[in-house]
Structures are given as structure tokens and as C-alpha cells.
Amino acid sequence: MNKTFKHMLVAAGLMAALPAMAATTWTFSGGDNNNPAWGNSRSYSNGGVTVTATAWANTGGSGNTLIENAYLPTYGSSGLGVINRDGYSSGSDQDTNDVIGNSTEHSMDNDQRYDSILLSFSEAVNLTGLRNGWTTGDSDMSVLAYIGSGTPTLAGGSYASLVSNGWASISDLMNTGTSWASTGTSVYSSHWLVGAFNPAFNGGSTGYAGNDYVKLYQAQGTICTASGGASGGVCGGTPGTGVPEPGSLALAGLGLLGVIGLRRRRK
């Protein structure tokens, strides 16, 4: 075996030691609505990674500012909707028509209350795209990723406080329809909050809210397979900093040096 080929093998091996990543699609279909209950969850697996979905809405506290869990219904190839607690309340506090049998508000919507779905993955994922299976009215959506430490808690908080408590506003997806919508982010996280457009996340105009009705059918992302997972939104990041681990940087540097060395020898 000649020296040039040996160097090529070494460089290739060092680069292969970097965190590997694989693209995966999760499809939210199956199940039934026979036993609806607040705070239920539904799980879907692909590529060795499981995502657990739960439903949430701002139905608690004075003026409906606090987040409470909701019911997550499933509608076959149309996808997942949200039924919030105020749909079954009465009087002035009622979220009119937000019940299972309604033709529009059984979806994830922002009519009166802001519905959202929390996607919790068993591994950190760069959520690259979302696709609805059904929409009516408008179809604007908001996406957040949790880059703080530990496990996020939604119950009892407010949407407005999320971005100052470990959550990062990723994107507002406008007029998504039923085609794939790109999030345009490089952030990795195990927890993603997807909802009907919500101006609380980024100071957006409330003029875009009130008529968005969607059912979430698919999510697509790249799985972080670094030994330490992700931290601070970075795959293989050092805990608490979001900076790639020194080992990963060193391997990358050695791999590049090997390639540079080969080029110099050829000259």
C-alpha cells in the first residue's frame, strides 16, 4: 500500500468520526378519537427516533394567558388537530366551536385561543420541514425550538414568556397550505413547538392571526447522532455553550490537515 493511499484512508477515517446525521420523515397518522382526554399523547417512530406529540393552548388564568394541556385528536391522512379546554366551557369564556365535531376548529387554530403541538423527539433533531394534511381559511404557522437546559415545561406559563425561558423563535411559516414548508434553520433540539401563527413569539402583527386552521401531517428533520447529543441548539455542542465539542473540532482539523498534506505531496 503506497503512502498516498494510506494518508487518504487516515483522512477519511478522521472525517467519518465526526457526528453523523441522517434525514428522516415522521408521518402523523393512525389512531382514533374514541376516548378523548386532556393531556393525551401520540407517538410516531422512524429512523430509530420516536417523536411524541401533545396538544396545548392558552386557556388558563385570568384573560386566558396561561398555557394548559389540551386534547390531541387524529384525523387519518389529514393529520393532528387540537381541541382546547375552552371549547367545552360555557359563557363568555368559551372558545366557540372548538370541539371535535366542528368543521374547522377541531384543527390547530388561532381562532379565539392559540393552539399548538409540542413535538418531543427521543434524539435532537434539526427540524427542516413541516407539512399539513388539511387546511382551511389561512394556514400561517409559528415554530419554536427549546435550546435551554433540562426539559421544558409549558403548563402554567404563557406564550409570551417562552422566548425568555429557553425557547428560540425559529420561523413564521406563511400560507403553508398542504405543501412542505421549510423552517430554514440549522438549530438542533429535542423539543419543537409548532402552532397556528402566534404573534407572542416575535412581536408579529395580530392581523395575521384569527383565521389559521391546519392539521399537522408530517415533520422532516436531520437527526443528531453525536455521542453527547445537542446542546444550545448545536449538534455535538458543549453543554451550556452551544459550541462544538473540542474533540469534534480536533477531528475535523486533523482530517483537513490530512487532505492538505496530500495536496502538497502531489505538488
Side-chain angles (χ1 to χ4, degrees):
M1 184 182 293
N2 61 52
K3 291 183 178 180
T4 299
F5 187 60
K6 287 181 179 179
H7 284 297
M8 290 176 67
L9 287 178
V10 171
L14 289 170
M15 295 304 289
L18 294 174
M21 303 169 192
T24 305
T25 299
W26 292 268
T27 299
F28 309 132
S29 63
D32 57 56
N33 299 316
N34 294 336
N35 299 292
W38 307 126
N40 70 311
S41 64
R42 300 182 188 274
S43 296
Y44 308 87
S45 298
N46 195 17
V49 173
T50 298
V51 55
T52 300
T54 51
W56 303 84
N58 57 318
T59 54
S62 176
N64 299 303
T65 58
L66 302 183
I67 302 171
E68 294 181 309
N69 60 19
Y71 174 62
L72 184 75
T74 180
Y75 298 99
S77 60
S78 292
L80 302 174
V82 175
I83 303 296
N84 68 55
R85 291 170 179 259
D86 283 354
Y88 286 88
S89 63
S90 60
S92 60
D93 194 47
Q94 185 179 20
D95 187 357
T96 308
N97 297 324
D98 203 308
V99 294
I100 291 177
N102 184 259
S103 60
T104 56
E105 286 201 61
H106 60 298
S107 61
M108 180 169 65
D109 67 82
N110 52 18
D111 185 346
Q112 298 179 285
R113 306 292 182 269
Y114 290 94
D115 298 334
S116 56
I117 295 175
L118 176 64
L119 302 177
S120 297
F121 293 85
S122 57
E123 302 288 346
V125 168
N126 169 221
L127 193 67
T128 56
L130 295 166
R131 183 185 173 201
N132 299 313
W134 176 97
T135 71
T136 191
D138 205 356
S139 54
D140 303 335
M141 302 167 68
S142 294
V143 181
L144 277 75
Y146 185 70
I147 58 175
S149 60
T151 302
T153 300
L154 294 178
S158 68
Y159 281 129
S161 68
L162 293 184
V163 292
S164 59
N165 284 282
W167 289 89
S169 179
I170 298 299
S171 60
D172 288 325
L173 309 178
M174 313 307 285
N175 303 312
T176 57
T178 55
S179 300
W180 279 104
S182 173
T183 61
T185 183
S186 60
V187 168
Y188 280 83
S189 175
S190 296
H191 306 281
W192 294 82
L193 189 65
V194 179
F197 176 79
N198 193 327
F201 298 146
N202 57 13
S205 171
T206 56
Y208 290 105
N211 65 337
D212 299 297
Y213 307 87
V214 304
K215 294 175 186 173
L216 186 61
Y217 179 55
Q218 289 179 309
Q220 192 171 72
T222 303
I223 301 167
C224 173
T225 58
S227 60
S231 179
V234 178
C235 180
T238 301
T241 66
V243 176
E245 292 179 353
S248 296
L249 290 174
L251 286 172
L254 287 171
L256 290 173
L257 285 173
V259 173
I260 292 170
L262 285 173
R263 295 188 65 181
R264 286 180 174 174
R265 284 176 180 272
R266 287 173 182 170
K267 290 180 179 179

